[in-house]
Amino acid sequence: MSTIRIVAEISITPGERGGLMPALQSLVEGSRSEPGNRAYDLTEDIAHPGHFFVIEEWLSEQAIAEHNESAHFRAFVAAIDGKTEKLSITKLKTVF
């Protein structure tokens, strides 16, 4: 079975970036320690600070479900509430 990749796009409201960096760091560190995670990278658009892409790789849908219930993920969701201009999640599968 192939892994599942996710690309999450998060655009932070101007002025909120600095305050959310600890929550982003905690999310990345916690997610990387999960047994079903293969990769979890936070990237930022060079031309647009505060516009992030999280590139994730998971072993299964179950691993994603467990991630979504984790304390670090729930804390992140609470931290960004009302502080984003855009939030999108795209699940991907390998074709070739």
Side-chain angles (χ1 to χ4, degrees), residues 3-6 36-41 55-59:
T3 58
I4 301 164
R5 291 189 177 111
I6 295 176
N37 181 260
R38 302 232 5 220
Y40 206 94
D41 297 313
I55 303 167
E56 313 170 31
E57 188 173 342
W58 298 93
L59 294 176

Side-chain angles (χ1 to χ4, degrees), residues 9-81:
E9 183 177 7
I10 308 164
S11 186
I12 304 297
T13 303
E16 299 289 350
R17 181 188 179 283
L20 290 175
M21 291 309 288
L24 285 161
Q25 182 175 2
S26 179
L27 173 68
V28 171
E29 290 171 354
S31 299
R32 285 179 177 165
S33 71
E34 293 181 50
N37 181 260
R38 302 232 5 220
Y40 206 94
D41 297 313
L42 177 68
T43 63
E44 187 172 21
D45 186 329
I46 292 170
H48 302 97
H51 192 116
F52 297 97
F53 294 87
V54 183
I55 303 167
E56 313 170 31
E57 188 173 342
W58 298 93
L59 294 176
S60 66
E61 288 287 350
Q62 180 63 33
I64 295 168
E66 291 171 6
H67 166 69
N68 291 342
E69 295 299 320
S70 68
H72 54 271
F73 182 78
R74 288 178 173 244
F76 173 72
V77 170
I80 66 168
D81 186 39

